[in-house]
Amino acid sequence: FLTHVVIISYLWAFVAGILVSSMFWLSGSVSNGLIFHIFFLGILSAIVTVNAVILLSLENIHLYNLSNLIQIALNCLLFLCAIIVFKTAAIGTFLISLYLSYLASISVTLVVLFNKWKVMDSSKIPVDIFLTIKEVVKYGSVAQLGNVIQYLNYRLSYFVLNYYIGADSVGIYSVGVTLAEAVWLV
């Protein structure tokens, strides 16, 4: 059952990535060169969220907190290293640090989740795949809609800055917010 839910949730994350990146593309707030990064980073972010929710459902709060900390701290560390060592603060450098931090968080959580799935004996639970899909879509669509609204609410300042001041200011503001969130999380 859990395997079906995870696979369907990952597929739903892919759909959400398409929808959100389409909104960015259609609104013209992201350049065409970055829209694919928005798409892939959106999917990675959704997978991190799915894994985190599964960890919470398994009551593994410690690993949930650790996976969030890994993602934010590694992103900050890699980007700061790029600034200090390579003397560059380009968008590409930030994107690489973001990709690597998401992949690290996904890797850590997947290792734990695979070990948990091995322990679970799913043969005792009869699974109706259509019922599973119905339940995931029912609850997942509401959760994803809430995530999109929450994301837009949190990032409204990015859109306003981009509209009135420009993309350069958004980049500086984004790094500042990421650092502040990392400090807040610790």
Side-chain angles (χ1 to χ4, degrees), residues 9-94:
S9 297
Y10 286 167
L11 290 174
W12 193 242
F14 184 78
V15 170
I18 290 172
L19 292 175
V20 170
S21 59
S22 296
M23 286 180 2
F24 281 120
W25 181 66
L26 292 173
S27 71
S29 61
V30 176
S31 69
N32 287 338
L34 294 177
I35 198 67
F36 291 106
H37 293 294
I38 297 292
F39 171 69
F40 289 117
L41 288 169
I43 291 173
L44 290 176
S45 175
I47 291 172
V48 166
T49 302
V50 167
N51 289 353
V53 169
I54 293 170
L55 289 172
L56 282 177
S57 72
L58 296 172
E59 298 180 6
N60 197 337
I61 308 299
H62 176 70
L63 188 61
Y64 166 79
N65 291 333
L66 182 64
S67 70
N68 285 332
L69 182 64
I70 286 171
Q71 192 276 315
I72 293 171
L74 189 60
N75 185 22
C76 291
L77 181 69
L78 290 173
F79 191 61
L80 285 174
C81 285
I83 291 172
I84 293 168
V85 174
F86 300 112
K87 309 283 191 241
T88 181
I91 289 177
T93 308
F94 183 72

Side-chain angles (χ1 to χ4, degrees), residues 75-162:
N75 185 22
C76 291
L77 181 69
L78 290 173
F79 191 61
L80 285 174
C81 285
I83 291 172
I84 293 168
V85 174
F86 300 112
K87 309 283 191 241
T88 181
I91 289 177
T93 308
F94 183 72
L95 289 174
I96 290 170
S97 70
L98 202 53
Y99 277 114
L100 292 175
S101 64
Y102 277 140
L103 290 172
S105 180
I106 290 170
S107 299
V108 168
T109 55
L110 281 180
V111 166
V112 172
L113 291 175
F114 281 135
N115 289 333
K116 295 270 186 192
W117 290 330
K118 286 180 188 176
V119 173
M120 293 178 160
D121 183 17
S122 62
S123 63
K124 295 179 182 175
I125 304 170
V127 177
D128 179 7
I129 187 70
F130 295 109
L131 180 62
T132 304
I133 291 172
K134 180 181 173 187
E135 292 293 315
V136 168
V137 169
K138 177 180 169 185
Y139 295 113
S141 60
V142 172
Q144 289 297 342
L145 179 63
N147 287 338
V148 168
I149 291 170
Q150 180 182 13
Y151 177 79
L152 293 175
N153 184 34
Y154 285 163
R155 303 303 184 212
L156 180 63
S157 57
Y158 290 82
F159 294 111
V160 172
L161 275 174
N162 186 42

